[in-house]
Amino acid sequence: QVQLVESGGGLVQPGGSLRLSCAASGRILGINHMGWYRQAPGKEREVVATITHSGSTVYADSVKGRVTISSDSAKTAVYLQMNSLKPEDTAVYYCNANLVGANFWGKGTLVTVSS
């Protein structure tokens, strides 16, 4: 089992920035990659960004150039730096950890972009 706890969400004005954090505990040595997903009201959950154990990253087209995913050296935390936020970025953001044969999710943190 892997436990994930997100933090850092909140209300921000358009054009503003937020940094989300996700702390991982449990079977962290088995993690292949981690990522951030989001789910807006009435929409399906979608990937925002992922990072592998070796540090390779992938971003959704909708956030490229505005978002940076990173992790700490011990691979126990993953971060999402979001800049130039838009109202359409409003969603619950979930942290994900992928192991062989299993996916684990945090409970999510709400990001609201509004003036």
Side-chain angles (χ1 to χ4, degrees):
Q1 293 288 330
V2 174
Q3 294 77 42
L4 303 169
V5 179
E6 303 100 334
S7 62
L11 174 64
V12 62
Q13 292 186 343
S17 298
L18 276 178
R19 186 175 190 246
L20 306 183
S21 299
C22 172
S25 60
R27 282 181 52 201
I28 58 175
L29 292 181
I31 294 176
N32 295 317
H33 61 263
M34 298 184 71
W36 287 95
Y37 291 68
R38 67 186 182 187
Q39 188 166 17
K43 295 188 177 181
E44 295 187 353
R45 191 174 297 188
E46 62 178 6
V47 62
V48 177
T50 61
I51 185 166
T52 67
H53 187 76
S54 61
S56 297
T57 59
V58 176
Y59 296 94
D61 288 343
S62 59
V63 302
K64 279 181 182 176
R66 301 189 295 120
V67 165
T68 303
I69 188 170
S70 60
S71 61
D72 67 348
S73 57
K75 311 302 180 187
T76 59
V78 64
Y79 309 98
L80 191 71
Q81 177 66 43
M82 302 189 292
N83 302 320
S84 302
L85 283 163
K86 305 175 182 180
E88 51 263 44
D89 293 318
T90 295
V92 177
Y93 284 71
Y94 296 92
C95 181
N96 169 267
N98 174 266
L99 286 72
V100 175
N103 266 304
F104 295 92
W105 298 91
K107 293 184 178 180
T109 185
L110 177 63
V111 172
T112 303
V113 184
S114 175
S115 55

XYZ file of all heavy atoms in Angstrom:
848
model
N 0.837 -1.199 0.000
C 0.000 0.000 0.000
C 0.870 1.247 0.000
O 1.951 1.264 0.556
C -0.885 0.010 1.264
C -1.925 -1.089 1.310
C -3.061 -0.864 0.322
O -3.388 0.280 0.006
N -3.629 -1.956 -0.162
N 0.347 2.261 -0.680
C 0.988 3.573 -0.699
C -0.049 4.596 -0.254
O -1.173 4.597 -0.747
C 1.508 3.926 -2.102
C 2.035 5.346 -2.131
C 2.591 2.934 -2.530
N 0.318 5.431 0.669
C -0.564 6.510 1.113
C -0.066 7.822 0.516
O 1.141 8.102 0.522
C -0.587 6.614 2.643
C -1.220 5.403 3.340
C -0.274 4.202 3.378
O 0.922 4.341 3.643
N -0.806 3.019 3.125
N -1.006 8.607 0.005
C -0.683 9.878 -0.637
C -1.517 10.985 -0.007
O -2.734 10.839 0.133
C -0.975 9.804 -2.132
C -0.253 8.701 -2.911
C -0.832 8.584 -4.316
C 1.236 8.973 -2.980
N -0.863 12.070 0.345
C -1.567 13.207 0.940
C -1.192 14.466 0.177
O -0.016 14.858 0.147
C -1.219 13.360 2.429
C -1.960 14.567 3.009
C -1.584 12.096 3.203
N -2.190 15.101 -0.430
C -1.962 16.326 -1.196
C -2.174 17.554 -0.317
O -2.935 17.518 0.643
C -2.925 16.414 -2.385
C -2.880 15.254 -3.342
C -3.992 14.263 -3.126
O -4.494 14.178 -1.983
O -4.381 13.569 -4.094
N -1.517 18.632 -0.715
C -1.721 19.918 -0.059
C -1.367 21.028 -1.036
O -0.744 20.778 -2.070
C -0.869 20.036 1.206
O 0.500 19.956 0.893
N -1.791 22.245 -0.713
C -1.393 23.395 -1.505
C -2.478 23.993 -2.377
O -2.251 25.019 -3.023
N -3.642 23.374 -2.417
C -4.717 23.940 -3.222
C -5.290 25.193 -2.592
O -4.938 25.570 -1.469
N -6.161 25.860 -3.333
C -6.783 27.062 -2.809
C -7.364 27.911 -3.911
O -7.481 27.464 -5.053
N -7.720 29.128 -3.540
C -8.294 30.089 -4.477
C -7.200 31.023 -4.978
O -6.443 31.586 -4.167
C -9.385 30.897 -3.781
C -10.007 32.047 -4.574
C -10.733 31.525 -5.804
C -10.951 32.845 -3.676
N -7.120 31.185 -6.278
C -6.111 32.054 -6.868
C -6.738 32.803 -8.034
O -7.652 32.292 -8.707
C -4.882 31.232 -7.323
C -5.258 30.227 -8.398
C -3.747 32.129 -7.766
N -6.271 34.007 -8.262
C -6.782 34.799 -9.379
C -6.174 34.330 -10.697
O -5.067 33.774 -10.719
C -6.464 36.277 -9.157
C -7.227 36.892 -7.996
C -7.012 38.390 -7.899
O -6.082 38.946 -8.470
N -7.879 39.069 -7.165
N -6.870 34.556 -11.785
C -6.288 34.221 -13.100
C -4.923 34.882 -13.271
O -4.744 36.063 -12.907
C -7.319 34.781 -14.075
C -8.610 34.729 -13.329
C -8.254 35.051 -11.900
N -3.988 34.117 -13.803
C -2.626 34.600 -13.949
C -1.738 34.303 -12.757
O -0.517 34.507 -12.829
N -2.327 33.846 -11.688
C -1.568 33.570 -10.478
C -0.896 32.212 -10.501
O -0.948 31.480 -11.491
N -0.248 31.880 -9.377
C 0.517 30.639 -9.260
C 0.130 29.886 -8.006
O -0.310 30.481 -7.013
C 2.018 30.950 -9.208
O 2.448 31.580 -10.388
N 0.302 28.579 -8.074
C 0.124 27.707 -6.916
C 1.144 26.584 -7.007
O 1.532 26.193 -8.110
C -1.273 27.092 -6.869
C -2.431 27.879 -6.265
C -3.718 27.075 -6.375
C -2.166 28.257 -4.828
N 1.522 26.075 -5.844
C 2.404 24.906 -5.805
C 1.724 23.821 -4.990
O 1.463 24.002 -3.801
C 3.752 25.259 -5.186
C 4.784 24.128 -5.249
C 6.114 24.606 -4.733
N 7.188 23.642 -4.976
C 7.837 23.003 -4.022
N 7.522 23.204 -2.758
N 8.813 22.159 -4.321
N 1.444 22.717 -5.654
C 0.833 21.581 -4.981
C 1.917 20.618 -4.519
O 2.928 20.447 -5.209
C -0.138 20.857 -5.906
C -1.236 21.704 -6.551
C -2.157 20.812 -7.383
C -2.014 22.474 -5.525
N 1.672 19.998 -3.374
C 2.607 19.010 -2.847
C 1.874 17.715 -2.581
O 0.689 17.714 -2.240
C 3.241 19.507 -1.548
O 3.960 20.699 -1.746
N 2.603 16.607 -2.715
C 2.042 15.292 -2.418
C 3.095 14.501 -1.659
O 4.197 14.284 -2.170
C 1.665 14.563 -3.702
S 1.165 12.848 -3.475
N 2.743 14.086 -0.457
C 3.653 13.292 0.369
C 3.255 11.827 0.276
O 2.088 11.483 0.480
C 3.592 13.763 1.810
N 4.236 10.983 -0.045
C 3.992 9.549 -0.193
C 4.604 8.786 0.974
O 5.683 9.122 1.458
C 4.583 9.050 -1.504
N 3.912 7.748 1.412
C 4.427 6.873 2.458
C 3.956 5.451 2.182
O 3.058 5.223 1.370
C 3.966 7.341 3.840
O 2.552 7.340 3.920
N 4.589 4.481 2.845
C 4.243 3.081 2.622
C 5.246 2.438 1.685
O 6.454 2.625 1.817
N 4.763 1.695 0.683
C 5.624 0.938 -0.238
C 6.228 1.813 -1.319
O 6.119 1.539 -2.502
C 4.826 -0.182 -0.881
C 4.587 -1.399 -0.028
C 3.808 -2.447 -0.813
N 4.446 -2.733 -2.103
C 3.818 -3.274 -3.141
N 2.527 -3.551 -3.058
N 4.457 -3.521 -4.264
N 6.902 2.873 -0.928
C 7.397 3.836 -1.916
C 8.494 3.258 -2.799
O 8.704 3.731 -3.916
C 7.860 5.132 -1.233
C 8.957 4.836 -0.214
C 6.688 5.841 -0.581
C 9.549 6.086 0.404
N 9.196 2.219 -2.344
C 10.258 1.641 -3.167
C 9.699 0.961 -4.399
O 10.426 0.739 -5.370
C 11.075 0.647 -2.333
C 11.924 1.250 -1.214
C 12.692 0.157 -0.481
C 12.909 2.271 -1.784
N 8.413 0.629 -4.389
C 7.808 -0.041 -5.530
C 7.208 0.899 -6.552
O 6.678 0.453 -7.577
N 7.337 2.200 -6.321
C 6.699 3.169 -7.210
C 7.464 3.284 -8.521
O 8.671 3.517 -8.528
C 6.601 4.546 -6.539
C 5.639 4.459 -5.329
C 6.105 5.592 -7.531
C 5.558 5.756 -4.546
N 6.738 3.113 -9.642
C 7.334 3.286 -10.970
C 7.316 4.751 -11.387
O 8.304 5.285 -11.886
C 6.584 2.457 -11.999
C 6.726 0.980 -11.744
O 7.814 0.502 -11.445
N 5.642 0.249 -11.862
N 6.165 5.360 -11.268
C 6.071 6.768 -11.561
C 4.943 7.382 -10.751
O 4.069 6.677 -10.244
C 5.878 7.031 -13.060
C 4.632 6.437 -13.644
N 4.629 5.228 -14.297
C 3.363 6.891 -13.685
C 3.414 4.956 -14.717
N 2.617 5.943 -14.358
N 4.985 8.667 -10.637
C 3.960 9.414 -9.929
C 3.432 10.504 -10.836
O 4.057 10.848 -11.848
C 4.514 10.014 -8.634
C 4.992 8.966 -7.635
S 5.537 9.684 -6.074
C 3.974 10.218 -5.365
N 2.284 11.033 -10.480
C 1.722 12.057 -11.334
C 0.621 12.840 -10.667
O 0.212 12.543 -9.543
N 0.210 13.847 -11.374
C -0.919 14.682 -10.967
C -2.016 14.562 -12.008
O -1.746 14.646 -13.221
C -0.500 16.141 -10.815
C 0.334 16.399 -9.617
C 1.696 16.436 -9.556
C -0.136 16.667 -8.301
N 2.105 16.708 -8.265
C 0.999 16.859 -7.475
C -1.399 16.779 -7.719
C 0.902 17.144 -6.116
C -1.491 17.068 -6.367
C -0.356 17.237 -5.577
N -3.230 14.373 -11.536
C -4.411 14.323 -12.367
C -5.392 15.363 -11.839
O -5.266 15.829 -10.712
C -5.047 12.932 -12.322
C -4.245 11.853 -12.995
C -3.026 11.430 -12.475
C -4.682 11.251 -14.170
C -2.273 10.450 -13.085
C -3.948 10.257 -14.800
C -2.743 9.872 -14.245
O -2.006 8.882 -14.869
N -6.369 15.704 -12.654
C -7.375 16.646 -12.181
C -8.747 16.265 -12.720
O -8.864 15.630 -13.765
C -7.025 18.084 -12.584
C -7.080 18.348 -14.073
C -6.581 19.760 -14.361
N -6.659 20.081 -15.786
C -6.169 21.195 -16.332
N -5.565 22.096 -15.558
N -6.282 21.408 -17.617
N -9.752 16.675 -11.975
C -11.125 16.430 -12.385
C -11.948 17.679 -12.132
O -12.117 18.093 -10.979
C -11.719 15.238 -11.642
C -13.085 14.821 -12.155
C -13.508 13.458 -11.645
O -12.972 12.930 -10.696
N -14.485 12.869 -12.316
N -12.408 18.266 -13.218
C -13.259 19.441 -13.133
C -14.714 18.999 -12.983
O -15.068 17.875 -13.367
C -13.087 20.303 -14.377
N -15.577 19.871 -12.470
C -16.988 19.506 -12.306
C -17.606 19.063 -13.624
O -17.486 19.747 -14.643
C -17.623 20.806 -11.801
C -16.514 21.529 -11.131
C -15.282 21.206 -11.916
N -18.252 17.910 -13.608
C -18.921 17.415 -14.796
C -18.020 16.815 -15.841
O -18.483 16.456 -16.931
N -16.732 16.695 -15.533
C -15.780 16.153 -16.502
C -15.075 14.931 -15.940
O -15.076 14.696 -14.732
C -14.766 17.213 -16.907
C -15.363 18.404 -17.654
C -14.280 19.316 -18.190
C -14.859 20.454 -18.992
N -13.800 21.347 -19.552
N -14.456 14.162 -16.828
C -13.692 13.002 -16.404
C -12.328 13.416 -15.870
O -11.807 14.486 -16.209
C -13.524 12.036 -17.577
C -14.833 11.423 -18.057
C -14.608 10.355 -19.101
O -13.459 10.182 -19.548
O -15.593 9.689 -19.473
N -11.762 12.549 -15.048
C -10.416 12.804 -14.553
C -9.425 12.728 -15.709
O -9.509 11.842 -16.562
C -10.065 11.782 -13.474
C -8.807 12.096 -12.710
C -8.599 11.132 -11.552
N -9.687 11.237 -10.576
C -9.681 10.622 -9.394
N -8.647 9.853 -9.044
N -10.690 10.746 -8.570
N -8.475 13.666 -15.723
C -7.497 13.712 -16.800
C -6.098 13.887 -16.220
O -5.918 14.466 -15.141
C -7.794 14.869 -17.764
C -7.739 16.250 -17.137
C -7.992 17.367 -18.138
O -8.331 17.083 -19.297
O -7.839 18.539 -17.737
N -5.118 13.422 -16.962
C -3.740 13.565 -16.517
C -3.277 14.992 -16.715
O -3.630 15.652 -17.707
C -2.810 12.579 -17.266
C -2.817 12.868 -18.746
C -1.423 12.589 -16.691
N -2.511 15.492 -15.774
C -1.894 16.812 -15.879
C -0.403 16.645 -16.194
O 0.111 17.226 -17.148
C -2.067 17.612 -14.589
C -1.349 18.958 -14.686
C -3.545 17.815 -14.267
N 0.281 15.852 -15.385
C 1.713 15.630 -15.579
C 2.135 14.379 -14.824
O 1.544 14.043 -13.801
C 2.511 16.832 -15.083
N 3.155 13.706 -15.349
C 3.707 12.539 -14.673
C 5.220 12.634 -14.643
O 5.828 13.319 -15.481
C 3.301 11.226 -15.362
O 3.796 11.224 -16.701
C 1.787 11.051 -15.384
N 5.820 11.935 -13.672
C 7.267 11.895 -13.547
C 7.679 10.479 -13.169
O 7.081 9.860 -12.286
C 7.765 12.933 -12.518
C 9.294 12.966 -12.470
C 7.168 12.684 -11.136
C 9.849 14.179 -11.737
N 8.688 9.940 -13.880
C 9.148 8.592 -13.604
C 10.192 8.598 -12.496
O 10.669 9.656 -12.067
C 9.768 7.952 -14.851
O 10.983 8.650 -15.171
C 8.815 8.033 -16.042
N 10.573 7.400 -12.087
C 11.584 7.265 -11.038
C 12.908 7.893 -11.475
O 13.659 8.427 -10.653
C 11.784 5.796 -10.708
C 12.678 5.556 -9.544
N 12.260 5.747 -8.238
C 13.968 5.166 -9.460
C 13.253 5.466 -7.417
N 14.303 5.119 -8.121
N 13.159 7.876 -12.794
C 14.410 8.449 -13.305
C 14.307 9.929 -13.587
O 15.298 10.558 -13.966
C 14.828 7.725 -14.584
O 13.837 7.887 -15.584
N 13.129 10.492 -13.421
C 12.962 11.931 -13.588
C 12.394 12.364 -14.920
O 12.269 13.567 -15.177
N 12.036 11.429 -15.772
C 11.418 11.799 -17.046
C 10.000 12.306 -16.805
O 9.264 11.738 -15.991
C 11.374 10.599 -17.984
O 12.670 10.162 -18.300
N 9.644 13.361 -17.529
C 8.348 14.000 -17.318
C 7.515 14.016 -18.585
O 8.038 14.046 -19.702
C 8.519 15.431 -16.806
O 9.283 16.171 -17.762
C 9.234 15.453 -15.463
N 6.202 14.028 -18.391
C 5.249 14.156 -19.491
C 4.169 15.116 -19.031
O 3.719 15.050 -17.884
C 4.622 12.796 -19.870
C 3.573 12.985 -20.950
C 5.690 11.825 -20.342
N 3.760 16.015 -19.921
C 2.750 17.010 -19.598
C 1.577 16.943 -20.570
O 1.765 16.669 -21.751
C 3.346 18.415 -19.650
C 4.416 18.669 -18.617
C 5.762 18.486 -18.918
C 4.076 19.076 -17.330
C 6.748 18.700 -17.966
C 5.052 19.297 -16.374
C 6.383 19.098 -16.699
O 7.357 19.318 -15.745
N 0.400 17.241 -20.072
C -0.760 17.396 -20.945
C -0.561 18.646 -21.787
O 0.029 19.633 -21.336
C -2.030 17.527 -20.113
N -1.064 18.618 -23.016
C -0.902 19.775 -23.902
C -1.493 21.043 -23.293
O -0.976 22.143 -23.500
C -1.574 19.494 -25.243
C -0.812 18.480 -26.078
O 0.381 18.239 -25.789
O -1.402 17.927 -27.019
N -2.556 20.887 -22.540
C -3.259 22.049 -21.992
C -2.462 22.792 -20.924
O -2.787 23.942 -20.599
C -4.599 21.612 -21.402
O -4.401 20.655 -20.378
N -1.414 22.170 -20.389
C -0.643 22.821 -19.323
C 0.821 23.024 -19.683
O 1.568 23.632 -18.912
C -0.737 22.028 -17.998
C -2.189 21.884 -17.568
C -0.052 20.674 -18.112
N 1.254 22.548 -20.851
C 2.658 22.681 -21.241
C 3.093 24.131 -21.216
O 2.396 25.014 -21.705
C 2.868 22.100 -22.637
C 3.022 20.595 -22.670
C 3.259 20.097 -24.090
C 3.373 18.580 -24.107
N 3.513 18.059 -25.488
N 4.261 24.373 -20.617
C 4.792 25.719 -20.538
C 4.312 26.493 -19.327
O 4.843 27.559 -19.010
N 3.300 25.973 -18.640
C 2.767 26.662 -17.458
C 2.956 25.846 -16.176
O 2.842 26.409 -15.079
C 1.272 26.934 -17.643
C 0.915 27.767 -18.852
C -0.546 28.173 -18.837
N -1.449 27.032 -18.958
C -2.349 26.700 -18.041
N -2.473 27.407 -16.941
N -3.150 25.663 -18.244
N 3.247 24.589 -16.321
C 3.274 23.675 -15.180
C 4.593 22.901 -15.159
O 5.114 22.529 -16.215
C 2.086 22.690 -15.281
C 2.269 21.510 -14.361
C 0.777 23.401 -14.954
N 5.117 22.684 -13.966
C 6.331 21.889 -13.798
C 6.117 20.864 -12.692
O 5.717 21.228 -11.584
C 7.529 22.772 -13.438
O 7.718 23.762 -14.448
C 8.803 21.928 -13.325
N 6.375 19.598 -13.016
C 6.297 18.541 -12.017
C 7.710 18.198 -11.572
O 8.640 18.183 -12.383
C 5.560 17.295 -12.565
C 5.301 16.279 -11.448
C 6.306 16.673 -13.727
C 4.373 15.133 -11.874
N 7.865 17.925 -10.305
C 9.183 17.568 -9.780
C 8.998 16.652 -8.574
O 7.887 16.515 -8.042
C 9.968 18.817 -9.382
O 9.277 19.538 -8.373
N 10.085 16.026 -8.168
C 10.030 15.176 -6.977
C 11.285 15.393 -6.153
O 12.283 15.932 -6.652
C 9.898 13.699 -7.367
O 11.010 13.286 -8.117
N 11.243 14.982 -4.899
C 12.419 15.137 -4.060
C 13.384 13.974 -4.331
O 13.023 12.998 -4.978
C 12.032 15.227 -2.589
C 11.451 13.922 -2.050
O 11.124 13.014 -2.848
O 11.322 13.810 -0.820
N 14.599 14.090 -3.834
C 15.630 13.105 -4.136
C 15.292 11.724 -3.574
O 15.700 10.707 -4.123
C 16.985 13.566 -3.592
O 16.895 13.795 -2.194
N 14.529 11.675 -2.506
C 14.158 10.404 -1.893
C 12.910 9.800 -2.530
O 12.508 8.694 -2.152
C 13.925 10.590 -0.395
N 12.325 10.503 -3.494
C 11.111 10.041 -4.178
C 9.958 9.818 -3.202
O 9.122 8.942 -3.398
C 11.379 8.748 -4.966
C 12.602 8.787 -5.846
C 12.560 9.904 -6.865
C 13.814 9.889 -7.732
N 13.897 11.047 -8.626
N 9.924 10.605 -2.135
C 8.826 10.500 -1.186
C 7.824 11.630 -1.340
O 6.830 11.679 -0.620
C 9.356 10.500 0.258
O 10.083 11.714 0.497
C 10.274 9.311 0.500
N 8.102 12.547 -2.249
C 7.189 13.665 -2.460
C 7.238 14.083 -3.925
O 8.273 13.979 -4.582
C 7.562 14.851 -1.575
N 6.127 14.552 -4.411
C 6.057 15.078 -5.769
C 5.334 16.413 -5.713
O 4.424 16.605 -4.892
C 5.346 14.079 -6.715
C 3.908 13.863 -6.326
C 5.453 14.531 -8.157
N 5.778 17.324 -6.550
C 5.269 18.684 -6.527
C 4.732 19.081 -7.905
O 5.162 18.545 -8.929
C 6.377 19.645 -6.115
C 7.086 19.242 -4.845
C 8.297 18.554 -4.892
C 6.526 19.512 -3.598
C 8.937 18.162 -3.736
C 7.166 19.124 -2.440
C 8.363 18.451 -2.512
O 8.998 18.055 -1.356
N 3.818 20.033 -7.904
C 3.303 20.583 -9.158
C 3.284 22.092 -9.033
O 2.468 22.656 -8.301
C 1.898 20.048 -9.446
C 1.372 20.339 -10.840
C 2.134 19.501 -11.876
C -0.122 20.056 -10.936
N 4.210 22.735 -9.720
C 4.249 24.197 -9.763
C 3.398 24.657 -10.934
O 3.671 24.284 -12.077
C 5.683 24.691 -9.921
C 5.803 26.198 -10.047
C 5.405 26.934 -8.797
O 5.761 26.532 -7.699
N 4.627 28.007 -8.940
N 2.375 25.424 -10.642
C 1.458 25.881 -11.682
C 1.512 27.405 -11.768
O 1.283 28.100 -10.779
C 0.038 25.415 -11.380
C -0.103 23.907 -11.248
S -1.819 23.374 -11.142
C -2.260 24.056 -9.542
N 1.802 27.907 -12.948
C 1.879 29.345 -13.197
C 0.866 29.744 -14.263
O 0.327 28.892 -14.970
C 3.288 29.715 -13.653
C 4.348 29.330 -12.643
O 4.161 29.468 -11.433
N 5.483 28.839 -13.132
N 0.630 31.042 -14.359
C -0.301 31.566 -15.374
C -1.619 30.797 -15.367
O -2.124 30.386 -16.408
C 0.346 31.491 -16.764
O 1.553 32.216 -16.793
N -2.156 30.619 -14.178
C -3.364 29.821 -14.040
C -4.559 30.463 -14.730
O -4.681 31.701 -14.770
C -3.666 29.581 -12.560
C -2.772 28.513 -11.907
C -2.813 28.615 -10.400
C -3.190 27.127 -12.359
N -5.426 29.608 -15.269
C -6.606 30.043 -16.003
C -7.857 29.497 -15.295
O -7.784 28.484 -14.595
C -6.556 29.499 -17.432
C -5.308 29.848 -18.205
C -5.301 29.157 -19.560
C -4.031 29.462 -20.342
N -4.032 28.781 -21.659
N -8.981 30.117 -15.517
C -10.223 29.590 -14.905
C -10.475 28.133 -15.259
O -11.003 27.380 -14.433
C -11.302 30.515 -15.474
C -10.592 31.812 -15.709
C -9.219 31.413 -16.173
N -10.070 27.740 -16.454
C -10.284 26.348 -16.866
C -9.361 25.366 -16.157
O -9.511 24.148 -16.326
C -10.138 26.199 -18.385
C -8.872 26.793 -18.957
C -9.101 28.194 -19.527
O -9.794 29.005 -18.849
O -8.565 28.473 -20.630
N -8.442 25.854 -15.356
C -7.616 24.975 -14.529
C -8.325 24.604 -13.227
O -7.814 23.773 -12.459
C -6.288 25.659 -14.187
C -5.407 25.866 -15.408
O -5.313 24.940 -16.244
O -4.810 26.961 -15.524
N -9.469 25.204 -12.991
C -10.223 24.895 -11.788
C -10.630 23.426 -11.770
O -11.238 22.931 -12.713
C -11.482 25.778 -11.699
O -11.081 27.141 -11.547
C -12.362 25.371 -10.524
N -10.254 22.728 -10.705
C -10.522 21.286 -10.599
C -10.037 20.787 -9.249
O -9.321 21.497 -8.525
C -9.805 20.530 -11.718
N -10.402 19.560 -8.942
C -9.771 18.850 -7.836
C -8.549 18.146 -8.409
O -8.665 17.428 -9.402
C -10.722 17.838 -7.179
C -10.002 17.073 -6.070
C -11.951 18.545 -6.617
N -7.409 18.375 -7.802
C -6.156 17.803 -8.268
C -5.785 16.613 -7.384
O -5.753 16.732 -6.148
C -5.054 18.858 -8.247
C -5.179 19.833 -9.394
C -6.210 20.776 -9.413
C -4.285 19.809 -10.459
C -6.349 21.652 -10.482
C -4.410 20.684 -11.524
C -5.440 21.596 -11.529
O -5.577 22.470 -12.590
N -5.509 15.491 -8.043
C -5.210 14.253 -7.349
C -3.774 13.814 -7.621
O -3.305 13.868 -8.771
C -6.138 13.136 -7.808
C -7.594 13.358 -7.498
C -8.429 13.980 -8.415
C -8.142 12.931 -6.291
C -9.774 14.188 -8.144
C -9.484 13.121 -6.010
C -10.294 13.753 -6.943
O -11.620 13.945 -6.661
N -3.128 13.339 -6.587
C -1.804 12.738 -6.716
C -1.971 11.244 -6.972
O -2.868 10.600 -6.404
C -1.027 12.967 -5.424
S 0.648 12.317 -5.419
N -1.133 10.713 -7.833
C -1.199 9.293 -8.197
C 0.176 8.654 -8.080
O 1.185 9.278 -8.428
C -1.707 9.161 -9.631
C -1.556 7.755 -10.181
O -0.550 7.430 -10.817
N -2.531 6.916 -9.923
N 0.186 7.429 -7.599
C 1.418 6.624 -7.564
C 1.140 5.310 -8.262
O 0.156 4.633 -7.952
C 1.871 6.387 -6.132
N 2.001 4.991 -9.219
C 1.827 3.767 -9.985
C 2.878 2.737 -9.602
O 4.080 3.029 -9.647
C 1.920 4.077 -11.479
C 1.904 2.824 -12.335
O 2.959 2.297 -12.691
N 0.722 2.338 -12.635
N 2.399 1.562 -9.210
C 3.276 0.423 -8.961
C 2.887 -0.674 -9.939
O 1.847 -0.580 -10.597
C 3.102 -0.088 -7.528
C 3.693 0.744 -6.401
C 2.916 2.025 -6.164
C 3.783 -0.065 -5.119
N 3.681 -1.704 -10.042
C 3.322 -2.820 -10.915
C 2.020 -3.430 -10.427
O 1.902 -3.904 -9.314
C 4.433 -3.884 -10.917
C 3.984 -5.099 -11.748
C 5.715 -3.308 -11.486
N 0.999 -3.349 -11.267
C -0.280 -3.954 -10.950
C -1.173 -3.171 -10.026
O -2.226 -3.660 -9.618
N -0.806 -1.934 -9.703
C -1.646 -1.165 -8.781
C -1.454 0.325 -8.963
O -0.378 0.784 -9.338
C -1.311 -1.550 -7.341
N -2.525 1.040 -8.718
C -2.498 2.503 -8.711
C -3.048 2.976 -7.386
O -4.031 2.422 -6.870
C -3.384 3.072 -9.824
C -2.620 3.370 -11.078
O -1.647 4.117 -11.060
N -3.045 2.778 -12.166
N -2.444 4.004 -6.846
C -2.928 4.586 -5.601
C -3.203 6.061 -5.809
O -2.517 6.726 -6.593
C -1.903 4.385 -4.479
C -1.701 2.935 -4.128
C -0.703 2.202 -4.745
C -2.511 2.306 -3.202
C -0.513 0.858 -4.444
C -2.328 0.965 -2.891
C -1.329 0.245 -3.522
N -4.229 6.548 -5.105
C -4.653 7.937 -5.258
C -4.753 8.623 -3.908
O -5.108 8.010 -2.902
C -6.033 7.989 -5.916
C -6.068 7.419 -7.294
C -6.331 6.127 -7.644
C -5.827 8.127 -8.519
N -6.268 5.988 -9.001
C -5.966 7.194 -9.570
C -5.521 9.451 -8.825
C -5.794 7.550 -10.905
C -5.348 9.807 -10.153
C -5.486 8.873 -11.180
N -4.465 9.917 -3.928
C -4.749 10.734 -2.769
C -6.206 11.161 -2.788
O -6.956 10.835 -3.712
N -6.606 11.905 -1.770
C -8.004 12.337 -1.678
C -8.271 13.595 -2.485
O -9.424 13.969 -2.681
C -8.383 12.557 -0.212
C -8.396 11.272 0.599
C -8.858 11.513 2.022
C -8.910 10.194 2.802
N -9.363 10.404 4.195
N -7.219 14.255 -2.936
C -7.384 15.417 -3.791
C -7.312 16.732 -3.043
O -7.563 16.813 -1.845
N -6.962 17.775 -3.780
C -6.937 19.128 -3.254
C -7.577 20.048 -4.293
O -7.294 19.937 -5.482
C -5.503 19.570 -2.897
O -5.529 20.859 -2.269
C -4.590 19.625 -4.115
N -8.450 20.923 -3.833
C -9.227 21.767 -4.752
C -8.444 23.015 -5.140
O -7.936 23.734 -4.280
C -10.540 22.171 -4.098
C -11.446 23.108 -4.890
C -11.904 22.455 -6.196
C -12.650 23.530 -4.051
N -8.384 23.246 -6.440
C -7.796 24.472 -6.991
C -8.909 25.247 -7.679
O -9.573 24.716 -8.569
C -6.665 24.160 -7.983
C -6.209 25.439 -8.683
C -5.503 23.492 -7.267
N -9.107 26.469 -7.256
C -10.124 27.323 -7.857
C -9.454 28.575 -8.403
O -8.775 29.298 -7.665
C -11.193 27.724 -6.835
O -11.788 26.550 -6.275
C -12.280 28.569 -7.496
N -9.616 28.804 -9.701
C -9.027 29.974 -10.360
C -10.171 30.908 -10.725
O -10.973 30.615 -11.611
C -8.225 29.586 -11.604
C -7.548 30.838 -12.185
C -7.198 28.519 -11.261
N -10.249 32.016 -10.019
C -11.370 32.924 -10.207
C -11.005 34.311 -9.706
O -10.240 34.455 -8.745
C -12.597 32.414 -9.447
O -13.666 33.330 -9.523
N -11.581 35.309 -10.357
C -11.376 36.682 -9.897
C -12.495 37.100 -8.956
O -12.506 38.225 -8.463
C -11.297 37.624 -11.095
O -12.444 37.493 -11.910
